[in-house]
Amino acid sequence: TSPTPPLFSPAPVFPGSIMVKGGRGGGSKKKAQSKSAKAGLTFPVARIGRALRTMRLAKRYGAGGPVYLTAVIEYMAAEVLELAGNAARDNKKSRIIPRHITLAVRNDEELNKFLGGVTVAQGGVLPNIHSVLLPKKSKVAGKGASQEF
């Protein structure tokens, strides 16, 4: 009697090839890439997505929601930091302090409207003297009443 042939024949193995089970595509392994790197952002997309889920604002979130929110937060932070850096440079300082953040926000029309109800700790206020409180300018230098005695 002759031996029965196998029900299936194994795939031919070529020299130098590697057998990989399952998966999509070839056997090339890609390095893991974070959601932030995929979106081209610096702020953490996964952490903001996790915070969104734990806040329970909605039952479900799409994949793009945390990415969009992260991009908005990153843009706002960059905008405030750029203006605060300019304010620090105007004051001949190399570090941004809360005062510089306040000056940056209050001098920018759109940021002032957006952050109108926000108080920055140790930020102070904009320098402003009401025109009524300023001394009146005398027309004739010698005859006007002076504060000097």
Side-chain angles (χ1 to χ4, degrees):
T1 66
S2 66
T4 58
L7 295 174
F8 63 91
S9 61
V13 178
F14 300 106
S17 69
I18 300 171
M19 296 279 292
V20 178
K21 275 191 172 179
R24 291 186 293 173
S28 62
K29 275 273 193 179
K30 277 190 177 178
K31 194 162 187 239
Q33 197 176 25
S34 68
K35 291 180 183 179
S36 298
K38 286 179 188 173
L41 297 170
T42 306
F43 278 36
V45 172
R47 187 180 296 180
I48 290 176
R50 189 169 58 245
L52 263 178
R53 283 195 307 276
T54 56
M55 283 191 281
R56 304 295 247 151
L57 299 171
K59 285 184 179 178
R60 301 171 72 185
Y61 292 102
V67 177
Y68 197 94
L69 180 61
T70 305
V72 169
I73 293 172
E74 183 174 317
Y75 170 76
M76 293 301 293
E79 191 74 22
V80 169
L81 284 173
E82 182 185 352
L83 293 172
N86 294 344
R89 193 178 62 236
D90 292 344
N91 290 328
K92 299 179 181 72
K93 300 277 191 275
S94 58
R95 273 188 207 147
I96 295 174
I97 59 174
R99 175 72 178 155
H100 301 143
I101 295 173
T102 299
L103 290 173
V105 168
R106 299 300 166 218
N107 284 323
D108 187 77
E109 186 180 335
E110 291 175 340
L111 277 177
N112 188 29
K113 187 175 182 182
F114 183 68
L115 300 173
V118 174
T119 302
V120 179
Q122 294 292 309
V125 296
L126 282 182
N128 184 26
I129 301 174
H130 201 279
S131 58
V132 175
L133 301 173
L134 291 172
K136 293 183 178 76
K137 298 192 177 178
S138 57
K139 293 177 182 171
V140 180
K143 293 194 174 186
S146 175
Q147 289 184 347
E148 296 175 5
F149 297 107

